[in-house]
């Protein structure tokens, strides 16, 4: 039968991101999710402190398979690996176990799950995961199934010779219901591997004093993985006295003893964790390599097993700093691992009632999806047979508790006359446990998740009437969800007028019922309570005036308060008060009144009785009437008056008093029995609490013993350290004394050296003072000598001045002075001539260099111009030649004009010079021509110098580079003018 599309579901696991991871740049992170033998993986992401996976993994299944997985508590296991991209090696970091029972179809907020067995002990790595159920709207396709491993060539011996233990992977063969280990053509023997968790002790030692468990009653269970299948046992709530049925999980294996021995040796140890929710409290490891020994044939003769009590070790003992416990106080778990060979004529699984088992155990068969339905049916058939022995007493106790609860609740509730059928229907299940109930009574099965609720409604008052006439109002409502469709009405009718507020009589009613919280919430949100306002008149027919809508879901949003129930159990109460409008039943729906009400919801927890007998209320009422009928018949009074004690009234009164005493005795006996039952329950609870306290005291004593040993060790260390400090202190005192003595000695030496230095300084000062005195005397003497020398120098200067005046008046002296002046002028002129010659050479060199540079620049400019403008080369060449010719012509004209001016100037100067010479000759004839040779030589040098300057100026102007405004030409002109002026003055 093909399932409908609406029954197809998707389990979507959203792996979003991680946090608190160490940074490993060369590694990648990958998360593998395994569910029901199918494994999916995320894409590799960078190994950073906050990796982002952002991946959704989905498995497809139908609702029936989901229900089976939830019954079997099939987990979803997420394993986180660090992947090396170079070597493709995967390193297991930790894992997360998700409970399939908590998955819902409405979307939930993703949660942070810590990694269990985290390799990074210094980091509390967490992954944000969200799980949701979605309806598969796509077409039905075959789901993913693990396929058989490809066959390998060669026989077992050849295979074992080159066998890599890491390459042996168990492959699930769903059709046959076994795991294949090794090549299928060689490994054909069948084996059964079973793991049984039998008992556990001292589990409270795994919970440190600082650890916080969930506020509600926590549930604990053991978890382990067997060939990739996650297995959990039955949950239990008491760590001090763990009470759970031993469960055996078995898997079929198809392989050979040698290959299986290699596989078990290569596998890591079997880890068994004690978990509370998704938190691991402790774990133990069972090595599987000891099951099979190499070359042993023991497995062919009888099963091999590893049995014993294994110590549970809490995770991160170093972080928790829990003391090391002795062996008798250590938490242990009893585990049995059995491997046996399965022959062809032997059943693969041992039945539950096998005589070889010492006690009845529950068996879990880890088989493929196709075989899980049969295993579930077998389990569901066997479980009631195990509980048949204890069910009668448990049912009687449960029914008696419900009876007392109902009785106490019934005395506190105030019922109305119209609500009598509801109360009767509620009281019938209480009496279902009596022996006089007929066997054919109807049974109501209450779901296991149902809660006992009590819902009360108090219609308090009506006000703000908008009707034009006074009314006699009654309120009426009905809510079949509370267990009865009979209407509830207030009585008697109450008169109400306009602008009045009337409090309604007998308007309180309470309902006891059992349902699930989800169904209660859904019903309250969907169906409001409709309260009808009726006008009751004796002369006319009752008239419906209006309807008020009470939204019962408002009470679910109010604050919860805790109170104790009749049996001392914690219960919750929610109360809501409101005033609503009563709208007209006919017409436009205007407001005609306001109704004030109060509703209360009380939650008494889970229902203990799951089957209730319901009898006919009319039969119960009739029986009660028949039972009380004899007491209501009037007695027959005779005509004559008998004795007072013989009258029927006296006998009836006596019988009534005796019946009262008997009922009192019965009531006292019942109270005593209840008191005895309560006392026994209190004693049992006291013994349980006493055992718990004793276990906690033992645990604390063990912890304090370990702490005392640590303190003793610490005291010994402190004593040793104190002795060491005392010796170090004495050594320090000795060194201090030595240093102080050395300081005193150094201080004395310094004082002596300071005294000697002061004496030497005083002596040195005396010597310096005597030297200063001697120098002052020498100064006075030298000042006297200086004064005398200055006077003598002044007198000599006066004499020399007189002598100079006398000598200056002589002609020889004057001539000699003129000769000296001329000699000096000659030397100066020679020096200037030499410098001018050097300047000439320098200027010539600079001029030649400038010419070369200019030619080079012109050549470069010409070449670049020729390269850029080849088409205009001839025109530019003609223009350049014309420009140069015009420039040379202009320069030639200028030079000729200047030369003409120079010639004219020279001729004029020569004429003046000749005239001056003639005058000089006439004047100096009498002097005998003393300086004529010298003057002629000087004039000749001046002419040469002048002609040289003129030649240099003309040469520079002829080059075309310089003009008259240039600095060097202006300087030559200035020197020429100075030379001409000097030559004129000398003549």
């Amino acid at each position: 039968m093909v399932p409908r599309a609406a029954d197809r579901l998707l389990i979507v696991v959203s792996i979003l991101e991680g946090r608190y991871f160490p940074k490993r740049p060369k590694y990648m992170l990958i998360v593998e999710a395994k569910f029901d033998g199918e494994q999916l993986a995320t894409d590799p992401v960078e190994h950073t402190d906050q990796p982002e996976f952002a991946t959704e993994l989905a498995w497809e299944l139908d609702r029936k398979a989901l229900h089976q997985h939830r019954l079997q508590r099939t987990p979803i296991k997420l394993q986180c690996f660090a992947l090396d991209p170079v070597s493709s090696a995967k390193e297991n970091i930790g894992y997360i176990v998700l409970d399939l029972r908590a998955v819902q179809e409405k979307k939930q907020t993703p949660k942070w799950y810590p990694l269990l067995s985290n390799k990074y002990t210094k980091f509390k790595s967490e992954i944000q995961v969200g799980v949701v159920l979605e309806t598969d709207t796509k077409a039905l396709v075959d789901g993913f199934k693990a396929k058989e491993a490809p066959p390998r060539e060669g026989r077992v011996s050849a295979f074992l010779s080159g066998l890599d233990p890491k390459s042996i992977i168990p492959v699930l063969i769903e059709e046959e219901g076994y795991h294949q280990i090794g090549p299928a053509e060689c490994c054909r023997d069948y084996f059964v591997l079973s793991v049984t968790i039998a008992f556990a002790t001292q589990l409270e030692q795994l919970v440190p004093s600082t650890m916080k468990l969930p506020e509600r009653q926590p549930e604990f269970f053991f978890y382990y993985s067997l060939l990739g299948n996650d297995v959990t046992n039955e949950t239990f709530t008491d760590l001090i006295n763990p009470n759970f049925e031993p469960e055996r999980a078995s898997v079929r294996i198809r392989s050979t003893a040698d290959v299986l021995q290699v596989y078990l040796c290569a596998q890591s140890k079997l880890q068994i964790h004690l978990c509370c929710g998704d938190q691991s409290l402790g774990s133990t490891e069972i090595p599987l390599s000891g099951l099979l020994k190499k070359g042993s044939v023991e497995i062919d003769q009888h099963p091999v097993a590893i049995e014993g009590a294994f110590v549970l070790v809490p995770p991160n003992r170093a972080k928790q700093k829990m003391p090391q416990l002795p062996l008798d106080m250590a938490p242990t778990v009893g585990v049995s691992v059995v491997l046996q060979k399965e022959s062809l004529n032997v059943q693969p699984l041992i039945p539950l009632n096998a005589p070889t088992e010492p006690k009845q155990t529950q068996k879990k068969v880890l088989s493929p999806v196709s075989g899980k339905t049969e295993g579930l049916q077998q389990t569901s058939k066997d479980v009631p047979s195990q509980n048949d022995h204890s069910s009668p007493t448990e049912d009687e106790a449960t029914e008696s508790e419900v009876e007392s609860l109902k009785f106490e609740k019934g005395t506190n509730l105030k019922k109305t006359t119209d609500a009598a059928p509801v109360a009767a229907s509620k009281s019938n299940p209480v009496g279902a446990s009596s022996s006089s109930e007929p066997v054919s009574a109807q049974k109501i099965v209450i779901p296991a998740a149902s809660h006992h609720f009590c819902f009360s409604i108090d219609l308090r008052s009506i006000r703000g009437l908008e009707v034009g006439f006074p009314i006699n109002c009654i309120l009426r409502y009905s809510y079949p969800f509370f267990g009865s469709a009979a209407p509830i009405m207030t009585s008697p009718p109450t008169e109400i007028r306009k602008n009045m507020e009337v409090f309604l009589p007998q308007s309180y009613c309470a309902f006891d019922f059992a349902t699930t919280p989800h169904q209660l919430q859904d019903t309250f949100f969907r169906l409001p309570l409709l309260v009808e306002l009726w006008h009751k008149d004796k002369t006319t027919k009752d008239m419906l005036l209006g309807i008020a809508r009470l939204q019962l879901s408002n009470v679910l949003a109010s604050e919860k308060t805790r109170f104790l129930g009749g049996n001392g159990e914690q219960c919750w109460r929610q109360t809501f008060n409101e005033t609503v409008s009563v709208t007209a039943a006919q017409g436009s729906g205007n407001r005609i009144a306001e109704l004030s009400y109060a509703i209360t919801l009380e939650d008494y927890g889970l229902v203990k009785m799951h089957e209730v007998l319901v009898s006919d209320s009319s039969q119960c009422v009739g029986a009660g009437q028949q039972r009380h009928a004899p007491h209501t018949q009037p007695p027959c009074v005779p005509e004559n008056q008998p004795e007072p004690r013989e009258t029927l009234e006296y006998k009836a009164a006596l019988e009534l008093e005796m019946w009262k005493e008997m009922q009192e005795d019965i009531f006292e006996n019942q109270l005593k029995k209840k008191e005895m039952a309560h006392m026994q329950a209190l004693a049992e609870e006291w013994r349980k609490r006493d055992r718990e306290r004793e276990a906690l005291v033992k645990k604390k004593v063990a912890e304090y013993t370990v702490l005392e040993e640590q303190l003793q060790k610490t005291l010994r260390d402190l004593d040793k350290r104190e002795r060491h400090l005392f010796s170090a202190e004495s050594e320090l005192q000795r060194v201090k004394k030595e240093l102080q003595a050395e300081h005193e000695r150094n201080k004395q030496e310094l004082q002596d050296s300071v005294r000697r230095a002061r004496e030497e300084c005083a002596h040195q000062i005396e010597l310096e003072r005597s030297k200063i005195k001697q120098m002052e005397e020498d100064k006075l003497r030298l000042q006297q000598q200086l004064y005398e020398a200055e006077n003598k120098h002044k007198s000599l200067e006066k004499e020399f001045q007189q002598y100079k005046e006398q000598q200056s008046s002589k002609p020889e002296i004057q001539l000699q002075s003129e000769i000296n002046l001329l000699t000096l002028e000659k030397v100066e002129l020679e020096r200037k001539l030499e410098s001018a010659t050097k300047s000439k050479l320098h200027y010539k060199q600079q001029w030649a260099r400038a010419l070369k540079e200019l030619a080079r620049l012109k050549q470069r400019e010409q070449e670049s111009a020729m390269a850029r403008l080849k088409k205009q080369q001839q025109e530019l060449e003609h223009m350049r030649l014309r420009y140069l010719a015009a420039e040379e012509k202009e320069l030639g004209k200028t030079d000729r004009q200047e030369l003409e001016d120079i010639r004219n100037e020279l001729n004029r100067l020569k004429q003046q010079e000749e005239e001056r010479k003639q005058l000089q000759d006439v004047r100096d004839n009498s002097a005998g021509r003393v300086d004529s040779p010298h003057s002629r030589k000087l004039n000749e040098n001046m002419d040469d110098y002048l002609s040289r300057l003129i030649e240099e100026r003309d040469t520079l102007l002829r080059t075309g580079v310089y003009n008259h405004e240039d600095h060097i030409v202006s300087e030559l002109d200035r020197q020429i003018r100075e030379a001409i002026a000097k030559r004129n003055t000398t003549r």
Side-chain angles (χ1 to χ4, degrees), residues 47 66 125 181 249 251 278 456 733 754 771 777 802:
H47 199 312
L66 175 64
S125 304
I181 298 179
V251 290
D278 56 354
S456 60
Q733 292 292 337
V754 168
K771 286 181 181 180
E777 293 176 355
Q802 293 176 1

Side-chain angles (χ1 to χ4, degrees), residues 409-465:
K409 285 298 297 178
T411 57
N412 295 329
L413 296 179
K414 181 181 179 182
K415 307 297 181 180
T416 61
T417 307
D418 297 310
V422 181
S425 64
K426 288 186 292 181
S427 62
N428 287 336
V430 178
S433 62
S434 62
S435 59
S436 62
E437 189 69 23
V439 181
S440 61
Q442 184 182 0
K443 285 188 177 182
I444 298 178
V445 179
I446 300 176
S450 298
H451 284 223
H452 175 202
F453 292 101
C454 177
F455 187 85
S456 60
I457 305 175
D458 186 8
L459 304 177
R460 293 180 175 176
S461 63
I462 289 182
R463 63 186 179 186
L465 185 65

Side-chain angles (χ1 to χ4, degrees), residues 19-72:
R19 62 183 179 184
Y20 309 139
F21 280 80
K23 292 184 178 179
R24 299 178 70 180
K26 296 182 180 180
Y27 283 81
M28 307 290 285
L29 275 178
I30 186 172
V31 177
E32 292 184 357
K34 185 182 294 184
F35 170 70
D36 194 22
E38 300 175 8
Q39 181 170 310
L40 304 176
T42 64
D43 294 330
V45 298
E46 294 181 1
H47 199 312
T48 60
D49 54 345
Q50 292 183 349
E52 294 185 0
F53 299 96
T55 305
E56 287 189 348
L57 308 177
W59 291 268
E60 182 184 1
L61 74 170
D62 53 7
R63 293 188 181 274
K64 185 176 181 181
L66 175 64
H67 182 64
Q68 293 177 4
H69 285 302
R70 283 179 170 174
L71 289 177
Q72 296 177 357

